[in-house]
Amino acid sequence: QVQLVESGGGLVQPGGSLTLSCVASGLPLNFLLYDVNWYRQARGKERELVASIGVDGSVTNYADVVKGRFTGSRDNGKTSAYLQMNSLKPDDTAVYYCQAKYFRYEFWGQGTQVSVSS
């Protein structure tokens, strides 16, 4: 059974930081083959791509609104990916999802809520 489990969300004040984790298990192919993407979806809005993490850990794409504040990374040995989020803003409030993707193989986690509010 494939599982992607996100954790690390919560309530934080503006300017604060959170680190999200995504742990994968049961993938049909080796984790290191998959790109790992972080998405978010705010209430009433479409899901948007936040960061794309390549197989070697290089981040190929950040959404403009998070550049310079968010950092994506992965640890293939732990089949895990991370999203370090700094200088959080109320507009960052959303459910954050990780996705593992390799050609036709695509798997999603259940999401973790991030709320930024004073």
Side-chain angles (χ1 to χ4, degrees):
Q1 179 182 0
V2 176
Q3 283 192 309
L4 271 67
V5 180
E6 300 99 334
S7 62
L11 175 63
V12 64
Q13 292 187 342
S17 298
L18 285 173
T19 299
L20 305 183
S21 299
C22 172
V23 180
S25 61
L27 292 171
L29 300 173
N30 196 307
F31 176 76
L32 59 83
L33 291 175
Y34 293 84
D35 290 330
V36 178
N37 303 309
W38 285 98
Y39 285 80
R40 68 185 183 186
Q41 186 167 21
R43 187 173 298 178
K45 295 186 177 181
E46 293 186 355
R47 191 172 296 190
E48 64 175 347
L49 179 65
V50 176
S52 296
I53 307 171
V55 297
D56 62 354
S58 61
V59 181
T60 58
N61 186 34
Y62 285 109
D64 288 343
V65 292
V66 307
K67 282 181 180 176
R69 300 189 297 122
F70 289 12
T71 303
S73 62
R74 65 191 289 167
D75 184 335
N76 290 331
K78 296 182 178 179
T79 64
S80 297
Y82 309 95
L83 187 67
Q84 172 69 44
M85 306 185 296
N86 298 324
S87 302
L88 283 162
K89 305 175 181 180
D91 285 349
D92 295 318
T93 295
V95 178
Y96 285 70
Y97 300 89
C98 67
Q99 178 205 45
K101 185 171 175 63
Y102 177 72
F103 292 107
R104 64 182 177 91
Y105 295 96
E106 181 177 320
F107 305 100
W108 290 87
Q110 83 291 346
T112 185
Q113 175 70 48
V114 171
S115 299
V116 185
S117 175
S118 55

